[in-house]
Amino acid sequence: MKVALLSFAHVHAATYIQLLRDRSDIELIVTDPDADPGDPTRGKALADELGVTYRAGYDEALAERPRAVIVTSENARHRTLVELAAAAGAHILCEKPLATTEDDARAMIDACERVGVSLMTAYPVRFHPAFAALRHTLSDGDLGPLLSVHGTNNSSPPALERPWFADPACAGGGAIMDHTLHIADLLDVLLDGEQPTHVHAVANSLLTSSTDGPEVESAGLLTLTYPRGLVATIDCSWSHPATHPTWGGLTLTCVGERALAEFDAFPPLLTGYDTAQAATRWEPAAIDLDAAMLESFLTAARTGQRAHPDGETGLRTLKTALAAYASLHTGQPATITAT
Amino acid sequence: MKRLDVAVIGAGFIARTHLPAWIALGARIRIFSTDDQAALLSEEFGLTKTACLDEALDGASVADICTPTTTHRDIALAAFAAGADVLCEKPLALTPADALEMAEAAHKAGRLLYPGHVVRFFPAYARLRSTIRSGALGRPAVARFTRTGRYPTWSPWFADTALSGGIVTDQMLHDMDIARWLFGEVVSIHATQRGHLTTHDSASAPEGPVATGSATLTHDSGVITQVLGVWGPPATPFRYTFHVAGSNGTLTHDSIAHPSLRLTGAAGAQAGAVPTGDFGEDPFSAQIRELATAFQGGPAPRVNALDGVAAVKIAAAARRSAATGLAVAVHDAAPRTLTEGSPR
């Protein structure tokens, strides 16, 4: 099956390429035409370094009629590339956030519906087997009715690697846009797509205020309230030290009337100390969530089944982040109208 | 040095944690409670049992108020009138007006009033504060605090929001005080409170009640803080955690992650055991020793009456937020003018 990956703007592009390039059942082509030609971390230079087949532009790549397309551009450019890929008849995996506005997300969903291709939003954490176990614990009633859910998703500021993450025009925001969504997706799974009615947010940029350019929030704390009273909180801060041996982490604590459950998506498998680096060792667990997500996408593309999490999930979760920004503006909770 | 003649008022859970600390300091202790618990404690600890509040306060140098929250004000006012300094279990009061009245009464009487903000005496929080103040964390930006334990079913008034303020006030006040201690005045708050919390009108809490609360605090310094509280099912172990991020890195603590002693395999595991941090001095003893030193003319302790008033104000704002769903501004959490000319 032919798979095209469009744009290396997102750091996950290289991750996906490395997971796909050696598979005998996948013919992978890539392109990154919007990159600065002199940038050794982008474009043909990166493709050559990773040993994958490079095409000069999006049209050239899509002209080869790939059955599946992965979009890893800047957030605000997702719509253009998804519409191109849909027009070319490809099933699409789009990096999160699906878009930076509701209008863009809706247009992308409609474009894919019209031609009958899958639009999947890249939320890998729901593929964790421990999360599946958590979901069963909830559905089996072991937790009792849920009172509250508390999520954290912290990393170092991604703009240290890719500056556009701190450019609202490209990213749609800062830490809130970047890190609210993974937790929002897990909540979407646990609550069967139920959306919060209100989102309250506070934020600051104290951790990154020395950087140049437009200032986006690098720390954010959200409170979501649901129709039947459930409360969820999210710490989406870029508060993880950049020099720490791991990128950050994600946790979810569920408080039920009968029990509490704590999910850690990225616990260390091994820890210790490395004298050569004078740093703490942190060997990640062997579960590869990106690989599990890609496998699910490729299976859907191969069989023509609808891929999940779909575009509607991407839009529902995006609305939580957009409501958080509306709340920052007023200082009060912002209302969400159900999709 | 002034002899410590301590009137312990109330004979519940908190009185029991305070008594060994007073005894270790050589205090003479009289005790009074409106229920029959004082008799048990006076026998167990060899205390002087008194028949009424006035008798307990007569000649006492310190009143240690260990009663339900809504009774604090009247007992404190009686103690000041009787010439005693006061250690009052947190929260000082349910309403900011009551807390302020207590602080003002202490000021007028020339007496000391200290709230029992014992978490400031737990080693992890004390070290967190000294590390932040040393500058080692750089500029603090964002913090999370959690506090989890079993629902306090040992006394029915905890479940009654009209008496305890619910989990937001009775339990989360601890971490809201810590956040203010670390990052400065709170200017606004958004909070939620859910679960089995009753009012005067409704039936008492069901079997195995559970409650949870959240609060998001914005400090004058720009720091943002999340406080989460859980009163869980009966087998919930007591646990507190924090995660603080600054420009020079992070500081984290999990009270059950690295115990100095772990006992397993025994029948009837101790799920609800009371927390004392770790080995070394028990935080309740550290608190009482530091406050007793101040009562005897020593240096000012790490907490004062205005901290108690401020915590009550923040908690009241949190309750208002939880009731309305709106963020609430906190004005003048600590009224500075009160301290002028005050003993502390």
Side-chain angles (χ1 to χ4, degrees):
Chain A
M1 182 165 68
K2 184 166 276 190
V3 178
L5 182 139
L6 309 183
S7 176
F8 300 165
H10 200 286
V11 290
H12 289 164
T15 311
Y16 300 147
I17 289 171
Q18 288 169 78
L19 286 166
L20 294 174
R21 65 181 174 187
D22 298 326
R23 290 176 59 145
S24 57
D25 60 335
I26 301 292
E27 186 190 342
L28 180 65
I29 57 173
V30 302
T31 185
D32 190 25
D34 295 325
D36 174 355
D39 186 344
T41 68
R42 298 281 304 265
K44 186 152 190 323
L46 179 62
D48 289 348
E49 189 191 321
L50 295 171
V52 285
T53 308
Y54 191 80
R55 295 289 180 255
Y58 302 126
D59 291 338
E60 288 87 340
L62 294 173
E64 295 186 31
R65 308 293 297 177
R67 188 165 177 84
V69 161
I70 300 172
V71 173
T72 35
S73 63
E74 296 87 346
N75 302 342
R77 292 178 174 171
H78 286 174
R79 176 178 174 175
T80 309
L81 297 186
V82 165
E83 286 177 340
L84 281 175
H91 298 288
I92 300 160
L93 172 65
C94 182
E95 186 52 52
K96 64 91 200 165
L98 185 61
T100 57
T101 67
E102 270 189 67
D103 285 349
D104 280 358
R106 179 51 66 195
M108 293 157 71
I109 291 167
D110 290 346
C112 292
E113 291 285 347
R114 269 198 302 275
V115 296
V117 296
S118 260
L119 174 60
M120 180 171 170
T121 311
Y123 288 137
V125 186
R126 63 157 67 189
F127 293 93
H128 199 299
F131 180 71
L134 171 65
R135 194 182 180 189
H136 287 136
T137 304
L138 185 63
S139 59
D140 291 349
D142 294 342
L143 290 183
L146 267 187
L147 286 179
S148 58
V149 184
H150 308 288
T152 69
N153 186 193
N154 301 137
S155 75
S156 56
L160 296 173
E161 234 178 305
R162 293 288 158 87
W164 67 264
F165 274 99
D167 177 358
C170 284
I176 288 175
M177 185 57 86
D178 191 34
H179 276 171
T180 297
L181 299 177
H182 287 298
I183 304 286
D185 179 55
L186 300 184
L187 290 165
D188 196 76
V189 175
L190 292 178
L191 304 175
D192 288 326
E194 185 172 44
Q195 289 181 265
T197 54
H198 293 88
V199 177
H200 175 265
V202 295
N204 67 38
S205 53
L206 295 176
L207 289 169
T208 48
S209 52
S210 59
T211 55
D212 301 319
E215 197 167 85
V216 293
E217 77 286 353
S218 48
L221 299 171
L222 277 56
T223 307
L224 287 52
T225 48
Y226 286 79
R228 280 165 294 168
L230 179 79
V231 172
T233 61
I234 301 175
D235 176 358
C236 59
S237 304
W238 288 334
S239 54
H240 194 74
T243 49
H244 193 278
T246 188
W247 62 270
L250 183 149
T251 67
L252 197 72
T253 299
C254 296
V255 181
E257 292 195 14
R258 282 201 274 285
L260 281 65
E262 295 170 67
F263 166 60
D264 185 348
F266 302 98
L269 181 66
L270 307 176
T271 58
Y273 191 80
D274 180 348
T275 53
Q277 303 291 326
T280 304
R281 289 187 196 275
W282 184 289
E283 291 294 326
I287 293 166
D288 191 330
L289 301 178
D290 291 322
M293 177 185 73
L294 281 180
E295 194 56 53
S296 177
F297 169 62
L298 295 172
T299 301
R302 196 177 284 122
T303 60
Q305 291 167 341
R306 192 178 179 96
H308 290 280
D310 61 8
E312 295 288 353
T313 308
L315 172 55
R316 284 196 300 272
T317 47
L318 172 65
K319 285 171 76 170
T320 295
L322 295 175
Y325 286 108
S327 172
L328 288 187
H329 204 66
T330 63
Q332 289 296 345
T335 309
I336 291 185
T337 339
T339 301
Chain B
M1 196 179 275
K2 245 186 350 181
R3 169 91 197 210
L4 282 169
D5 276 292
V6 179
V8 173
I9 312 299
F13 167 75
I14 285 296
R16 182 172 280 280
T17 64
H18 285 188
L19 283 169
W22 288 121
I23 290 166
L25 293 172
R28 274 195 305 231
I29 305 169
R30 66 288 283 285
I31 188 164
F32 170 73
S33 77
T34 53
D35 60 17
D36 53 6
Q37 296 294 306
L40 298 172
L41 285 186
S42 60
E43 189 164 322
E44 181 180 344
F45 290 96
L47 317 173
T48 306
K49 190 177 165 306
T50 55
C52 64
L53 181 64
D54 288 344
E55 186 190 339
L57 293 174
D58 184 30
S61 58
V62 175
D64 179 1
I65 303 175
C66 304
T67 55
T69 304
T70 49
T71 65
H72 289 175
R73 185 197 64 173
D74 289 351
I75 297 169
L77 299 186
F80 298 138
D85 294 324
V86 168
L87 158 58
C88 180
E89 178 52 23
K90 53 56 46 185
L92 268 191
L94 209 49
T95 67
D98 279 0
L100 199 56
E101 187 182 346
M102 291 163 73
E104 282 171 350
H107 178 60
K108 258 183 230 147
R111 304 315 327 166
L112 298 169
L113 168 64
Y114 296 129
H117 291 186
V118 70
V119 176
R120 293 189 181 202
F121 295 85
F122 277 63
Y125 299 89
R127 187 74 61 84
L128 172 61
R129 183 163 198 265
S130 64
T131 305
I132 289 173
R133 287 177 83 83
S134 77
L137 193 63
R139 184 177 185 183
V142 54
R144 300 192 299 265
F145 297 89
T146 76
R147 189 164 299 276
T148 305
R150 69 186 172 97
Y151 200 103
T153 48
W154 52 85
S155 206
W157 64 273
F158 286 108
D160 189 337
T161 47
L163 297 178
S164 71
I167 189 171
V168 162
T169 299
D170 194 75
Q171 190 235 41
M172 290 163 58
L173 175 132
H174 279 304
D175 290 295
M176 297 193 270
D177 172 61
I178 292 294
R180 176 178 167 272
W181 193 39
L182 297 173
F183 310 126
E185 290 307 335
V186 174
V187 293
S188 75
I189 189 162
H190 178 265
T192 69
Q193 177 161 263
R194 304 200 65 205
H196 299 123
L197 298 157
T198 62
T199 65
H200 280 315
D201 305 326
S202 60
S204 59
E207 216 160 301
V210 175
T212 173
S214 73
T216 309
L217 284 60
T218 302
H219 299 262
D220 199 27
S221 58
V223 174
I224 52 177
T225 299
Q226 180 190 72
V227 174
L228 301 177
V230 178
W231 280 343
T236 307
F238 182 77
R239 179 187 190 185
Y240 50 89
T241 73
F242 58 72
H243 180 276
V244 183
S247 53
N248 286 355
T250 55
L251 277 170
T252 65
H253 179 75
D254 179 343
S255 65
I256 64 172
H258 304 288
S260 291
L261 176 66
R262 199 193 300 268
L263 185 65
T264 57
Q270 292 293 303
V274 174
T276 47
D278 55 9
F279 291 87
E281 189 177 28
D282 155 43
F284 289 99
S285 298
Q287 171 187 239
I288 286 193
R289 186 173 43 76
E290 189 167 312
L291 300 185
T293 303
F295 290 140
Q296 293 174 297
R302 69 190 74 181
V303 63
N304 62 35
L306 290 183
D307 297 323
V309 174
V312 168
K313 279 198 171 186
I314 295 165
R319 283 204 306 282
R320 203 154 69 246
S321 174
T324 61
L326 298 174
V328 172
V330 183
H331 299 292
D332 304 322
R336 289 285 159 211
T337 50
L338 189 69
T339 45
E340 286 166 19
S342 158
R344 289 280 182 266

